[in-house]
């Protein structure tokens, strides 16, 4: 599910989603076109039902993404920093980030099966801290919010700011 969801999220035309009056119908149409054009496979199409995508973009976080004038999806980065032990390189891919009132909002999609949100936050807070640090230093703009989006339950979970270790 994770790989297929990431691929769909990267390929959807956000400008068209912003302009539509029927989000569900537009997402279905875009999925069918991606499949018909051979961009997504049968397996990817079945792994990510249209309702999962519609639920995301209809959520408060999804609405904020669609309202942003600057959105990046699957944004690969390399971040270099000096440490006492020498140079450290961090490479990663930011699932989604967008500008809102001059600052970044960072979003990471997760497919983990967990019983409670805090377990998910504990598992990924440091990853998001590193991503936020890299994003801020690379772009010069601060990260004001961090979210994990739990795909299986369709919920955005705020992640508190911590220092990257």
């Amino acid at each position: 599910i994770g790989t297929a969801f990431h691929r769909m999220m990267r390929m959807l035309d956000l400008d068209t989603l912003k302009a539509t009056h029927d989000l569900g119908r537009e997402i279905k149409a875009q999925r069918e076109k991606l499949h018909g054009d051979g961009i997504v496979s049968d397996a990817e199409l079945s792994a990510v039902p249209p309702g999962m995508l519609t639920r995301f973009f209809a959520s408060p976080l999804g609405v904020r993404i669609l309202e942003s004038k600057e959105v990046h999806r699957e944004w690969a980065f390399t971040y270099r920093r000096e440490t006492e032990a020498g140079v450290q390189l961090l490479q990663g891919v930011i699932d989604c980030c967008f500008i809102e009132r001059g600052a970044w909002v960072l979003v990471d999609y997760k497919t983990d099966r967990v019983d409670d949100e805090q377990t998910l936050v504990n598992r990924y807070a440091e990853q998001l801290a590193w991503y936020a640090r890299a994003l801020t230093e690379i772009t010069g703009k601060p990260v004001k919010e961090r979210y994990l989006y739990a795909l299986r339950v369709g919920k955005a979970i705020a992640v508190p700011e911590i220092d990257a270790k």
Side-chain angles (χ1 to χ4, degrees), residues 14-157:
L14 296 184
D15 289 334
T16 304
L17 293 181
K18 289 176 185 184
T20 189
H21 296 291
D22 189 337
L23 194 57
R25 186 176 66 198
E26 179 58 36
I27 286 172
K28 285 179 185 176
Q30 286 194 36
R31 286 174 77 253
E32 289 170 14
K33 182 170 182 354
L34 290 169
H35 184 251
D37 291 347
I39 295 169
V40 298
S41 68
D42 292 340
E44 289 172 318
L45 195 68
S46 65
V48 183
M52 182 182 282
L53 295 164
T54 303
R55 181 171 54 184
F56 175 79
F57 283 109
S59 74
L61 183 61
V63 169
R64 289 170 64 190
I65 290 169
L66 292 176
E67 289 175 348
S68 177
K69 290 181 175 39
E70 184 174 349
V71 178
H72 297 274
R73 298 171 285 168
E74 303 300 319
W75 198 8
F77 69 89
T78 300
Y79 168 62
R80 177 189 167 150
R81 71 181 199 117
E82 299 287 334
T83 68
E84 291 177 7
V87 174
Q88 182 180 52
L89 283 179
L90 173 68
Q91 292 181 316
V93 178
I94 294 172
D95 292 348
C96 182
C97 58
F98 61 97
I99 293 288
E100 188 176 72
R101 293 185 293 280
W104 291 109
V105 177
L106 183 60
V107 182
D108 200 66
Y109 317 125
K110 296 299 179 192
T111 59
D112 303 46
R113 293 176 195 251
V114 293
D115 294 331
D116 66 286
E117 293 175 12
Q118 192 58 48
T119 299
L120 202 59
V121 169
N122 292 344
R123 189 175 294 161
Y124 294 108
E126 187 173 356
Q127 174 193 351
L128 287 183
W130 278 110
Y131 281 18
R133 183 173 181 173
L135 186 58
T136 297
E137 291 195 23
I138 290 167
T139 67
K141 293 179 183 172
V143 173
K144 69 175 190 157
E145 296 173 46
R146 301 157 177 83
Y147 291 94
L148 295 171
Y149 185 78
L151 292 170
R152 294 184 190 279
V153 294
K155 184 173 183 186
I157 303 164

